[in-house]
Amino acid sequence: MVEHNAALIIAYQRTEYISRFVPTLIESGITEIYVALDGPSNSSIATLQKRLSEEIIVAASYPKVNVWIWRRDQNLGAAVSVFTAIEWFFQFEEEGLILEDDLAFDSGFITFAKKCLKDFRQNNNVWLISGNQFFGSELETDGPVLSHYPLIWGWATWRDRWLDISEAILEPSAIQNRFRLNPRISFWETGRNRSHNGKVDAWDIPLVSPMWNKDKFCVQPPKNLVSNMGVDGYSTHTTRPLWPLMLRTEHLEKSLEDYKASAPELSQQLDDLLTTKFYKVRWRHALLPIYGPLKDLLTPNKFKLGLQARVAKVSIPKKRTLLNGS
């Protein structure tokens, strides 16, 4: 198989971080750059998107670099915009990086992603590679760690694994509203139902339960390699830098060839840390299948249609449009 050389950028209105990381992508050997723009909700954002396209052309003005773009006419919202952008990308690429427009990273992340895409390509239990590590100081490891949690602030995967991921995201909840005295299961299945029903605008929440149920993994680095900088004037959900937003990135100190495989017990430790400290799942969440639906009765749906129906309405182009004409 040819060496990984493609990246997808999912954008809306930010330009600052993209203009910084596109040269990093190219200098690291990425020659096929895909840009998916969600439809502008007003004329100001349309102007910003025009400027964004121009800045990407400038940033990617290297020989033998292609920039492909999909401009959506309609504003799809975060979940459908991201999901359909990845569907579009994997029509043309076997593997690649998936990035949003509010990330900061250097070439270390790309090197790590390339190495893991190669090393785990034949391991069908690994569904994705993440650039995030929120607990590097608490894990005694100098190598990648497997987790059941998909961290997607800068990640990578393969076409065949995306087919599994997309199917898992859209499949109905396994427990619906049945009572389970397990806070983690109740927490994520309730979130899955809320995403499917249009209560929240999220595509990644419905992925968590299937990864646990099917024993699938996300590869995480020993140190944090990508920072989510999405606390600015363009933020719609976040107004202050709550941890781990804007978490500093670190450098891998060794050649990746020298890293050792992490012990299996570190996966359990990492899962536990993410469950309790990042997602803050508590015992009270075991009762979510009971009080969650009652609470939802008082909360209007964000969307009239559920996630699957909204995705199905989007027509994904079968051809690519070259942005930079190189």
Side-chain angles (χ1 to χ4, degrees), residues 15 45 50 57-58 77 100 138 157 176 219 248 279 288:
T15 62
I45 293 176
K50 184 176 184 297
I57 291 174
V58 172
E100 296 188 46
E138 299 182 51
T157 192
Q176 298 299 326
V219 179
R248 72 184 182 92
Y279 296 111
L288 265 174

Side-chain angles (χ1 to χ4, degrees), residues 13 32 38 44 75-76 92 95 103 141 153 156 206 208-209 232 245 263 265 267 287:
Q13 58 183 329
E32 303 295 322
D38 196 7
S44 296
N75 185 265
L76 302 175
F92 310 106
E95 61 187 37
L103 303 177
T141 180
W153 294 347
V208 178
S209 284
D232 55 24
L245 289 170
E265 54 266 25
S267 294
L287 301 178

